[in-house]
């Protein structure tokens, strides 16, 4: 609802400061288009309601004017939306709203029916810590320093200079209560600080949602930001011992013997009915693992549903934006830790209660580097023209001689907020991907430039065999093929071609979305290859990628 304020401006004594009225005028002009209409009456006979007061004819603002300005600020703050960033762990865009007719994801499908579904959304790297650092800073991992995992002996951390752009810090600065629950997996805390670290009585998404209820329902004049990061559908330690196969499927966090997690109505799947993606082998072992994976995804969906119930219960549903995505694609060889489509493509559904057009599908190419600037845009803290926060936060060096990192003054992503509720995609036609490590022993830097026509992968360490994450190496879906020898088929590749990769992989992504035919060595595409190398070099320079140096030696 628009509120109309009237205020009276009378002449100031000449002893009054001259700049005060002008400063307040500019503040009011900035606020008024967003929150209300201002009517100004000049009693001095100077100017009119459409002109700016002159610093040469200073005027005194009445108490009513100041109260009007104060009310404007309060109105603007009250209208800021609550924001939930719901990030799952290792989930591909396999859901009802993405066309899969087998998997049960009713809550995500309902969210899509009320919001915008992005069909061309990408992680910038298919590695957990590195991807989350990009999500929460808006800076590529090769530029923010989080090259790989942060836990245990891996010990990668983000440069402390990234605190200037950090999503939770920026939102706190702009008046948000901030909280996180679930998987954190980034460092240091000084860059990724939340005011509240929530806990749940049990580990899965439904329990996590319950653990957020007190934070969501808290009486406060401030809007809230909740970073909700599930552990499912990540691979777990157990295998399905009831399987008749020699190589048994990972449980993906499911309980053995078809038991139900607390508060969850588990959905079980028949391996014969699941849909096997082209990049995977259609084998009994793979089908069993996909069935377990589906079950884990459906459990996440129930957590989303429980979170929505809590929002509605406490009257927050109509002022809360929900962004649903994943850190990267599913935890299968050929997806996770790779820069192939299956590793980078993620589900991406956004529900904004103010969005008039419902059930919109948008094919803009967006990536995780765009999340922080977009959320900051939603919160009113983003400068679109500068591609930067309106306020660059200060950070304090903590130790002598410590490498704080290059100071960052702008985001490497941009806001897609204006795309919600539309099919507009002009200007959103390419993405970059950057992978260097996953686990510390997995050095294999890869860089990607992808647009709507072609995709170029540069395997910088192509002389090395492709390294495996420890949980992916023992996956039954992989071992069943690997044990047959190097010529065994693994999806649309062989075991040998998956492990030993050429320096460049060039795909006509329009005609060959499964990335089955590498054109890099085809003389007919030599010109295209050189063109896309230059495009890749350009985005590497723009994002301060240290590996751009490799073009000039070795």
């Amino acid at each position: 609802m628009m509120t109309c304020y009237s205020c009276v401006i009378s002449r100031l004594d000449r002893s009054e400061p001259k700049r005060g009225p002008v400063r307040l005028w500019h503040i009011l002009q900035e606020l008024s288009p967003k929150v209300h209409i201002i009517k100004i009456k000049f009693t001095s006979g100077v100017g009119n309601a459409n002109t700016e007061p002159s610093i040469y004819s200073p005027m005194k603002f009445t108490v009513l004017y100041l109260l009007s300005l104060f009310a404007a600020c309060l109105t603007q703050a009250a209208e800021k939306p609550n924001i939930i960033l719901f990030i799952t762990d290792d989930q591909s865009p396999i859901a009802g709203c993405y066309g899969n007719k087998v998997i049960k994801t009713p809550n995500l499908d309902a969210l899509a029916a009320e919001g915008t579904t992005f069909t061309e959304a990408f992680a910038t790297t298919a590695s957990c810590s590195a991807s989350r650092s990009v999500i929460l800073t808006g800076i590529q991992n090769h530029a923010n320093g989080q090259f790989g995992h942060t836990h245990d002996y891996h010990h990668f951390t983000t440069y402390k200079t990234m605190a200037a752009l950090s999503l939770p810090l920026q939102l706190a600065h702009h008046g948000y209560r901030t909280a996180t629950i679930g998987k954190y997996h980034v460092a240091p805390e000084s860059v990724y600080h939340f005011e509240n670290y929530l806990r749940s009585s049990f580990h899965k998404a439904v329990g996590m949602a319950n653990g957020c209820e007190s934070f969501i329902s808290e009486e406060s004049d401030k809007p809230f930001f909740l970073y909700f990061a599930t552990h499912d559908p990540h691979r777990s330690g157990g295998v399905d011992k009831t399987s008749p196969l020699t190589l048994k499927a990972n449980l993906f966090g499911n309980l053995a013997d078809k038991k139900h997690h607390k508060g969850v109505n588990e959905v079980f799947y028949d391996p014969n009915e699941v849909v096997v993606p082209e990049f995977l082998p259609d084998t009994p072992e793979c089908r069993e693992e996909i069935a377990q994976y589906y079950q884990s995804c459906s459990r996440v969906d129930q957590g989303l549903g429980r979170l929505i119930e809590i929002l509605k219960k406490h009257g927050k549903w109509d002022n809360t934006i929900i962004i649903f995505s994943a850190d990267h694609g599913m935890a299968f060889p050929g997806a996770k830790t790779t820069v192939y489509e299956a590793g980078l493509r993620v589900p991406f559904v956004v529900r904004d209660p103010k969005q008039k057009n419902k059930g919109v599908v948008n094919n803009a190419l967006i990536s995780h580097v765009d999340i922080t600037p977009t959320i900051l845009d939603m919160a009113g803290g983003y400068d679109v023209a500068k591609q930067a926060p309106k306020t660059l936060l200060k950070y304090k060096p903590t130790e002598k001689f410590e490498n704080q990192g290059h100071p960052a003054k702008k985001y490497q992503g941009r806001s897609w907020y204006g795309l919600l509720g539309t099919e507009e995609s002009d200007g959103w036609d390419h993405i970059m991907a950057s992978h260097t490590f996953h686990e510390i022993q997995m050095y294999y830097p890869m860089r990607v430039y992808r647009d709507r026509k072609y995709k170029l992968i540069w395997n910088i360490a192509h002389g090395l065999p492709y390294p495996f994450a420890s949980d992916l190496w023992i996956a039954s879906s992989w071992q069943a093929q690997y044990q047959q020898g190097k010529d065994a088929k693994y999806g649309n590749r062989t075991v040998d071609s998956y492990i030993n990769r050429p320096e460049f992989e060039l795909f006509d992504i329009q005609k060959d979305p499964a990335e089955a035919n590498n054109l890099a060595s085809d003389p007919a595409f030599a010109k295209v290859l050189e063109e896309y190398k230059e495009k890749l070099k350009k985005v590497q320079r723009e994002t301060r990628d240290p590996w751009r140096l490799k073009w000039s030696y070795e």
Side-chain angles (χ1 to χ4, degrees):
M1 179 179 293
M2 302 291 282
T3 305
C4 183
Y5 293 92
S6 294
C7 54
V8 179
I9 304 176
S10 60
R11 185 180 301 276
L12 282 170
D13 293 334
R14 295 205 179 269
S15 59
E16 292 281 334
K18 296 182 178 181
R19 296 188 61 82
V22 176
R23 288 187 62 210
L24 284 174
W25 175 273
H26 285 302
I27 294 171
L28 196 58
Q29 289 289 79
E30 182 180 348
L31 287 174
S32 62
K34 300 178 182 178
V35 295
H36 52 64
I37 300 170
I38 308 294
K39 289 184 179 178
I40 301 173
K41 179 181 178 183
F42 289 84
T43 60
S44 64
V46 179
N48 57 59
N50 296 316
T51 61
E52 178 179 319
S54 168
I55 61 172
Y56 299 108
S57 56
M59 294 165 286
K60 188 193 305 179
F61 288 83
T62 64
V63 173
L64 186 57
Y65 183 95
L66 296 175
L67 288 175
S68 170
L69 179 61
F70 181 66
C73 296
L74 290 180
T75 304
Q76 186 184 41
E79 289 184 351
K80 284 186 177 181
N82 303 311
I83 303 169
I84 296 177
L85 177 58
F86 194 115
I87 297 293
T88 68
D89 201 355
D90 304 357
Q91 186 169 356
S92 293
I94 297 174
C97 57
Y98 280 94
N100 188 299
K101 296 181 180 180
V102 177
I103 196 168
K104 305 301 180 185
T105 54
N107 295 294
L108 181 58
D109 299 345
L111 198 72
E114 290 198 22
T116 302
T117 301
F118 288 92
T119 57
E120 302 287 334
F122 298 84
T124 60
T125 177
S127 178
C128 307
S129 288
S131 180
R132 291 163 196 271
S133 75
V134 178
I135 289 171
L136 295 174
T137 66
I139 300 292
Q140 295 281 355
N141 73 87
H142 59 242
N144 72 31
Q146 190 86 50
F147 299 110
H149 279 344
T150 194
H151 68 286
D152 204 9
Y153 50 79
H154 310 290
H155 198 54
F156 289 103
T157 64
T158 301
Y159 295 132
K160 292 182 178 177
T161 51
M162 295 300 122
L165 304 175
S166 160
L167 180 59
L169 296 181
Q170 281 285 342
L171 289 175
H173 175 76
H174 286 282
Y176 275 73
R177 296 187 294 124
T178 63
T180 183
I181 191 168
K183 193 164 186 174
Y184 189 67
H185 216 18
V186 285
E189 201 268 348
S190 61
V191 171
Y192 302 104
H193 174 72
F194 290 82
E195 295 169 340
N196 300 276
Y197 295 89
L198 307 179
R199 297 289 181 266
S200 58
S201 58
F202 54 102
H203 194 51
K204 300 305 176 184
V206 171
M208 289 171 57
N210 291 333
C212 296
E213 185 165 10
S214 60
F215 173 76
I216 289 172
S217 62
E218 181 181 324
E219 291 294 328
S220 175
D221 293 332
K222 293 183 175 182
F224 68 77
F225 170 66
L226 173 61
Y227 176 47
F228 190 102
T230 71
H231 295 267
D232 285 333
H234 195 286
R235 284 178 179 265
S236 58
V239 296
D240 180 14
K241 295 181 180 179
T242 66
S243 170
L245 300 175
T246 301
L247 296 170
K248 302 185 185 306
N250 186 275
L251 287 173
F252 287 85
N254 306 322
L255 294 176
D257 302 318
K258 294 188 179 296
K259 293 180 180 178
H260 293 248
H261 279 284
K262 181 180 178 182
V264 177
N265 182 21
E266 299 283 359
V267 181
F268 303 105
Y269 292 91
D270 182 343
N272 294 316
E273 295 180 357
V274 302
V275 180
V276 181
E278 286 186 77
F279 77 94
L280 290 175
D282 192 348
T283 62
E285 291 83 2
C286 193
R287 284 183 168 275
E288 283 199 352
E289 289 216 303
I290 293 173
Q292 296 287 346
Y293 168 78
Y294 276 21
Q295 180 183 336
S296 192
C297 290
S298 289
R299 186 167 54 251
V300 168
D301 188 76
Q302 291 184 36
L304 173 63
R306 176 59 184 144
L307 191 62
I308 291 171
E309 286 179 359
I310 291 170
L311 290 169
K312 291 180 177 179
K313 174 182 175 182
H314 296 285
K316 306 292 186 180
W317 177 243
D318 291 332
N319 192 36
T320 301
I321 296 173
I322 299 180
I323 302 168
F324 181 99
S325 191
D327 56 353
H328 50 72
M330 61 201 300
F332 282 75
K336 184 176 180 177
T337 77
T338 78
V339 290
Y340 295 131
E341 295 288 282
L344 297 179
R345 281 186 174 273
V346 289
F348 212 100
V349 177
V350 185
R351 186 258 184 188
D352 181 347
K354 295 180 181 178
Q355 179 182 323
K356 294 181 180 179
N357 299 324
K358 309 296 183 183
V360 175
V361 176
N362 190 297
N363 71 349
L365 269 68
I366 64 172
S367 83
H368 281 351
V369 77
D370 302 315
I371 290 178
T372 281
T374 301
I375 292 179
L376 197 56
D377 195 9
M378 294 170 173
Y382 179 66
D383 188 321
V384 175
K386 294 181 179 179
Q387 203 172 316
K390 289 182 177 178
T391 303
L392 203 61
L393 302 180
K394 295 182 179 180
Y395 62 93
K396 294 181 179 179
T398 54
E399 297 181 25
K400 284 186 176 181
F401 312 120
E402 182 180 17
N403 182 2
Q404 303 283 330
H406 182 79
K409 297 183 179 180
K410 59 179 291 188
Y411 293 113
Q412 293 177 352
R414 54 195 173 123
S415 173
W416 40 254
Y417 190 24
L419 301 181
L420 295 183
T422 78
E423 296 179 357
E424 177 64 41
S425 62
D426 289 350
W428 294 84
D429 298 313
H430 77 270
I431 59 104
M432 178 193 189
S434 171
H435 180 97
T436 305
F437 286 93
H438 181 63
E439 298 167 1
I440 186 66
Q441 71 276 16
M442 291 177 60
Y443 177 73
Y444 201 84
M446 299 171 284
R447 299 295 186 265
V448 173
Y449 182 91
R450 183 202 190 280
D451 59 23
R452 297 188 185 276
K453 178 60 177 172
Y454 292 104
K455 176 178 179 179
L456 176 66
I457 300 174
W458 181 26
N459 296 311
I460 301 171
H462 57 95
L464 300 175
Y466 185 78
F468 279 73
S470 51
D471 57 344
L472 298 183
W473 174 256
I474 63 173
S476 61
S477 52
W478 169 254
Q479 284 296 324
Q481 304 309 107
Y482 177 75
Q483 292 177 17
Q484 295 180 39
K486 65 179 184 179
D487 294 326
K489 292 289 289 183
Y490 185 80
N492 49 28
R493 295 177 173 82
T494 64
V495 166
D496 182 66
S497 66
Y498 183 78
I499 295 174
N500 298 297
R501 303 184 181 184
E503 182 176 8
F504 295 105
E505 296 177 81
L506 177 67
F507 301 106
D508 184 332
I509 212 69
Q510 277 187 339
K511 297 179 180 179
D512 180 26
E515 300 165 297
N517 183 23
N518 181 11
L519 304 172
S521 59
D522 187 336
F525 290 89
K527 185 176 180 180
V528 173
L529 178 61
E530 292 307 311
E531 177 187 349
Y532 276 73
K533 284 181 184 179
E534 293 305 313
K535 290 183 176 182
L536 178 57
K537 290 176 186 179
K538 182 175 184 290
V539 293
Q540 285 186 280
R541 289 193 299 270
E542 292 172 347
T543 60
R544 297 182 61 83
D545 183 4
W547 275 262
R548 70 189 187 276
L549 301 176
K550 287 289 186 178
W551 290 104
S552 61
Y553 71 98
E554 294 185 346

